[in-house]
Amino acid sequence: EFAMAKATPNITVFDYTPIDDLPIEEQCKTRFDENPELREQYPTLDAYLDSVRADGPVPAPESKTTFRLRSLSTIQKMEVTDVINNGGGSAVYWRLVRHGLVGWENFSDESGRPVLFADSMTDNINRLPPALVIEIGMKILASSSLTEKARKN
């Protein structure tokens, strides 16, 4: 889940919350909506939610990870467009994140250890799961597609 907010000129901040860190009702709704097998097994969302609650207490959500993004410059947009036009596939997202990710807060690895934002963008991108690289890349692309007037509003 992402929440967009304007921080400083040309920097966009969004909070990322993994599904397991959402309140149990939101977790269940997302899983129920996205999983046809659950909808076959449970007649309603409430039935699925009751089943999950019966399994025991749900851990409290941890603090959200915040990613700081900036819009692409004209030259960077042209570079990404070239990659897209040449069938770049996942390389497009790597380029978007390489150019647009400027920092993060409260980001941890699988073991729960804090991950600091490094000077090397390659190192930073390699610390992110591929699905998150794609999601961040899409946010950067969307932010970069806005006109300056729309971005200020």
Side-chain angles (χ1 to χ4, degrees), residues 62 65 104-117 127:
E62 298 176 16
T65 298
W104 61 54
E105 298 167 13
N106 298 321
F107 183 61
S108 302
D109 64 14
E110 300 83 30
S111 304
R113 293 182 302 235
V115 177
L116 299 177
F117 194 79
R127 294 176 176 138

Side-chain angles (χ1 to χ4, degrees), residues 86-105:
N86 290 316
S90 60
V92 171
Y93 298 106
W94 187 90
R95 297 259 184 181
L96 286 165
V97 174
R98 180 174 169 259
H99 292 309
L101 180 63
V102 295
W104 61 54
E105 298 167 13

Side-chain angles (χ1 to χ4, degrees), residues 77-149:
K77 287 180 201 175
M78 292 170 61
E79 180 183 321
V80 168
T81 300
D82 285 346
V83 173
I84 292 170
N85 290 339
N86 290 316
S90 60
V92 171
Y93 298 106
W94 187 90
R95 297 259 184 181
L96 286 165
V97 174
R98 180 174 169 259
H99 292 309
L101 180 63
V102 295
W104 61 54
E105 298 167 13
N106 298 321
F107 183 61
S108 302
D109 64 14
E110 300 83 30
S111 304
R113 293 182 302 235
V115 177
L116 299 177
F117 194 79
D119 291 333
S120 165
M121 280 310 295
T122 300
D123 289 347
N124 290 326
I125 294 170
N126 284 334
R127 294 176 176 138
L128 301 170
L132 187 53
V133 172
I134 291 169
E135 199 162 358
I136 292 171
M138 291 171 57
K139 293 290 181 187
I140 293 166
L141 186 60
S143 170
S144 299
S145 299
L146 296 174
T147 64
E148 188 61 32
K149 182 179 179 182

Side-chain angles (χ1 to χ4, degrees), residues 17 50 114:
T17 304
D50 290 343

